[in-house]
Amino acid sequence: MCQNPNEAKLNPSHFEGSNEEHQTAQEVEGGFAAYTQGMKFFDPHVHMTSRTTDDYQALADAGVVAIIEPAFWLGQPRTGLASFKDYFASLVGWERFRSSQFGIKHYCTIGLNSREANNEALAEEVMDILPLFLQKEGVVGVGEIGFDDQTAAEEKYYRAQLELAKEMGLPVQVHTPHRDKKKGTERSMAIALEHGLAPHMVVIDHNNEETVKSVLDQGFYAAFTIYPFTKMGNERMVEIVKQYGSERIMVNSAADWGISDPLAIPKTAALMKIKGISAVDIQNVTYQNALDSFAQSGQINEKDFIHGLEIDQSLKFNGNTVLRGGQAPRVDKNSIFIR
Ligand SMILES: [Zn+2]
C-alpha cells in the first residue's frame, strides 16, 4: 500500500537537501543511537511480515518496544479468500510470536486494503470474515483502509469498513492515496465524518505539508510516514513538528517489502533532538500519541511492554521456533532489551 510503481516517476529518488542537511542526515544514519539513549518508541505502522529477524533485533536494540502491523496488500493481488484468511491469521499468530521472541509487543489492524477492494467478488467474501478477525486479541483497529485510485469500489468498501469499526468501537487507520493526495485525504475525512465516526477514533496516515493542517483542525490524528530518500524525509518531519507542535501527530516507518527503513522512528527522534525539539514533543510523536490513539481499542495495556517483554526463545508456536539447528535459545526474563 505504501509504494506503487508510479511513485518513482512522481517523486525525486535522491535526497534534495543542502550540504549541511546531507551531513546531519549521515550523522543520524550511522550514529542515531547516541542521541536516543533511554528513549522508547512505538511504531504504529510497520509490515514486519515482509522483514527479517535482523530487523526485529535492530528495532529492539534501538528502543522500539511496541509496533502495529496493518493488514495490507502483498505487492500482487490475492486470488482467493483463503489467502486473506491465512494472512490475517498470521498477523494475530505467527508474526506476533516472532515479534515476542525479540522482546517487542506486536499488535495489528485488520482490514480490506484499498487496492484489493477493486476485486468486488473477492471483497464481498473478505467483508464476511472481517468481524471474526477484528475480535481477536491484539487487534487494535480496522486498517489500513481507504483510497488508492479513488474508485467507486474503493469508496464502497471504505464506507462498509467504517461502519464495522463504528459497530465494534475500534479505531480506524486510514491509508491516504499517493496520487491526488490532498483531494483523497479530504474525501477520506469527509466520509468518516458522514458515517458518524469521532475524529479522535480515526488516524489519517501518510500526511504531508499539504494535508496536515486540515487533518489536525478537524480533530483527527495525523500520522506521517518517513520514506527514506523520498518525499517525506525526516528533515521535513522536524519542520512540521516545529510548526504544528506534537498534539495528535505521530510518525511511522511503514516499512514493508519495498525500499523502506524500519529504524525511521529512532532516526527521526535523533534528528529532532539535534534540531532542538523538546523531549516531550519527541516522546509524543514517536511513542505517546500512537499509544493513546490505538489504546482506544481497549486492547493495549502499556504495562505489557513499558518495562520490556520477557524473552524466551525456547518457546514454540504450533511447534515452530525462530531458531535454526544448533542455535541456543535466549532466555532473558528480566532485562529491558535483548543485546
Ligand atoms: Zn502500510
Side-chain angles (χ1 to χ4, degrees):
M1 295 301 295
C2 306
Q3 305 255 335
N4 69 62
N6 299 324
E7 197 111 308
K9 275 177 256 160
L10 295 172
N11 298 302
S13 59
H14 300 287
F15 184 82
E16 290 176 337
S18 65
N19 278 345
E20 190 200 336
E21 282 174 344
H22 266 286
Q23 272 176 2
T24 316
Q26 277 175 353
E27 194 179 337
V28 166
E29 195 61 35
F32 69 90
Y35 300 94
T36 57
Q37 287 299 316
M39 292 185 193
K40 57 186 181 318
F41 303 110
F42 192 140
D43 189 344
H45 189 150
V46 58
H47 301 288
M48 292 310 293
T49 301
S50 311
R51 313 297 305 194
T52 65
T53 51
D54 284 357
D55 290 326
Y56 270 123
Q57 188 63 62
L59 287 171
D61 288 344
V64 177
V65 294
I67 55 178
I68 296 172
E69 176 151 8
F72 80 146
W73 82 305
L74 300 176
Q76 63 183 41
R78 276 165 273 227
T79 56
L81 183 64
S83 315
F84 273 98
K85 244 188 215 167
D86 292 343
Y87 174 67
F88 295 153
S90 78
L91 294 184
V92 296
W94 172 248
E95 203 54 46
R96 182 181 307 164
F97 170 77
R98 212 161 74 97
S99 186
S100 75
Q101 297 299 281
F102 296 88
I104 298 170
K105 186 73 183 171
H106 182 284
Y107 302 99
C108 67
T109 59
I110 297 282
L112 170 66
N113 67 81
S114 49
R115 282 197 171 215
E116 291 178 286
N118 290 302
N119 179 349
E120 286 196 60
L122 185 51
E124 282 301 320
E125 294 181 61
V126 175
M127 287 304 300
D128 288 342
I129 65 166
L130 286 182
L132 173 73
F133 282 99
L134 288 169
Q135 289 170 48
K136 303 261 185 197
E137 187 193 331
V139 178
V140 298
V142 177
E144 53 186 295
I145 63 170
F147 287 111
D148 183 47
D149 271 336
Q150 304 193 45
T151 64
E154 289 169 20
E155 180 171 335
K156 176 179 171 188
Y157 292 102
Y158 175 52
R159 287 178 181 276
Q161 292 182 94
L162 289 173
E163 282 298 318
L164 198 52
K166 199 172 67 175
E167 267 167 42
M168 301 186 72
L170 286 169
V172 184
Q173 192 169 28
V174 177
H175 167 93
T176 55
H178 299 290
R179 297 174 297 281
D180 280 331
K181 161 127 352 238
K182 197 163 166 48
K183 182 176 143 226
T185 304
E186 290 300 331
R187 194 171 161 200
S188 303
M189 292 190 289
I191 291 172
L193 294 174
E194 190 189 315
H195 281 266
L197 276 98
H200 65 84
M201 291 295 278
V202 181
V203 178
I204 302 292
D205 213 336
H206 313 313
N207 278 279
N208 63 22
E209 291 89 341
E210 277 200 315
T211 58
V212 57
K213 187 172 186 307
S214 175
V215 171
L216 292 175
D217 283 351
Q218 295 185 63
F220 294 91
Y221 277 95
F224 290 82
T225 298
I226 308 298
Y227 297 101
F229 317 117
T230 59
K231 54 185 178 180
M232 193 62 233
N234 48 20
E235 284 276 354
R236 289 168 59 189
M237 194 61 227
V238 171
E239 292 307 314
I240 281 169
V241 173
K242 276 186 183 165
Q243 191 175 343
Y244 295 96
S246 63
E247 194 187 344
R248 277 180 288 116
I249 288 180
M250 68 186 83
V251 298
N252 62 54
S253 70
D256 58 13
W257 32 250
I259 296 170
S260 44
D261 183 0
L263 295 174
I265 293 184
K267 286 175 186 172
T268 303
L271 187 66
M272 286 182 176
K273 197 167 176 184
I274 291 168
K275 298 281 183 177
I277 304 284
S278 77
V280 171
D281 283 338
I282 296 174
Q283 193 194 354
N284 282 344
V285 302
T286 61
Y287 180 85
Q288 196 64 47
N289 293 339
L291 171 61
D292 291 347
S293 53
F294 287 99
Q296 297 181 99
S297 64
Q299 285 282 331
I300 301 181
N301 186 351
E302 194 186 16
K303 287 198 195 94
D304 290 347
F305 52 80
I306 188 83
H307 300 301
L309 301 191
E310 289 185 353
I311 295 163
D312 185 349
Q313 292 187 340
S314 67
L315 293 175
K316 291 184 175 160
F317 180 83
N318 291 343
N320 292 311
T321 164
V322 294
L323 302 173
R324 290 293 173 266
Q327 292 175 333
R330 184 192 297 267
V331 182
D332 195 359
K333 298 210 176 228
N334 295 310
S335 78
I336 292 181
F337 305 119
I338 39 176
R339 297 276 173 209

